[in-house]
Amino acid sequence: QGVTQGAIKGDPDGPGFAVVWSNGTEDGEPDKLYYAMVNANSSGVTWQVEPRKVFPASTGTQLGGNIAPLGRGRWLLAYSEHPTDVIKDYLKIYWDNWAIPEEMRDDGSRVAVVDSTGQVLSGPTDVSALGARFPVEMNHLVLRPQGIGWVATDGPGKTTARVALLRCRQ
């Protein structure tokens, strides 16, 4: 099918970068989150951790991956989840609201903590239930002195924004 959005963030504990993205396969598998760690130096980019599915047993869709460093080799992964395949036509993602089901927008926001190999350490946790949903099309996690924050609206064309702040314990 194709690759949707993702993120790349520098590792504060080392020379690499954590990478997360969503990808659907041509055999009809819904978009899944993938994680990798890359090394970047003057001789180019090499895999430090080969790409892997974050949730290999999941049968639904995972979109909007973003990642933020928590330190000590841990990363906060943010994404939206739905139990079915929600992107049937990848061309639609470029000109409308992706035709994402409203229940994914309202109830699909999740966070999980992964280690530097992409292994899930905790979660996923439903942050939609806290009123802190993510924008499905993009997740802009921002490191703040008090924690990790993001901003979301109530859907395409909406004019009211909500600011969320997640405080992380070490």
Side-chain angles (χ1 to χ4, degrees), residues 63-155:
L63 294 175
N66 202 336
I67 198 160
L70 296 173
R72 299 192 323 243
R74 297 171 303 135
W75 298 85
L76 180 70
L77 177 64
Y79 64 100
S80 295
E81 183 174 66
H82 193 271
T84 65
D85 188 358
V86 298
I87 299 182
K88 305 291 185 194
D89 181 357
Y90 274 84
L91 290 177
K92 291 179 72 83
I93 68 175
Y94 297 107
W95 75 76
D96 68 8
N97 69 355
W98 293 38
I100 299 292
E102 284 303 311
E103 64 269 13
M104 185 175 193
R105 292 185 188 283
D106 293 339
D107 304 322
S109 299
R110 306 285 186 269
V111 294
V113 176
V114 298
D115 67 13
S116 61
T117 69
Q119 182 68 40
V120 177
L121 299 176
S122 68
T125 300
D126 181 355
V127 294
S128 299
L130 305 173
R133 68 188 207 161
F134 300 123
V136 173
E137 295 82 3
M138 62 191 108
N139 290 328
H140 293 294
L141 295 179
V142 178
L143 295 176
R144 306 292 303 154
Q146 308 88 349
I148 297 171
W150 63 92
V151 176
T153 64
D154 288 331

Side-chain angles (χ1 to χ4, degrees), residues 4 39 46 51 59-60 78 105 134:
T4 56
N39 285 322
T46 58
T59 58
R105 292 185 188 283
F134 300 123

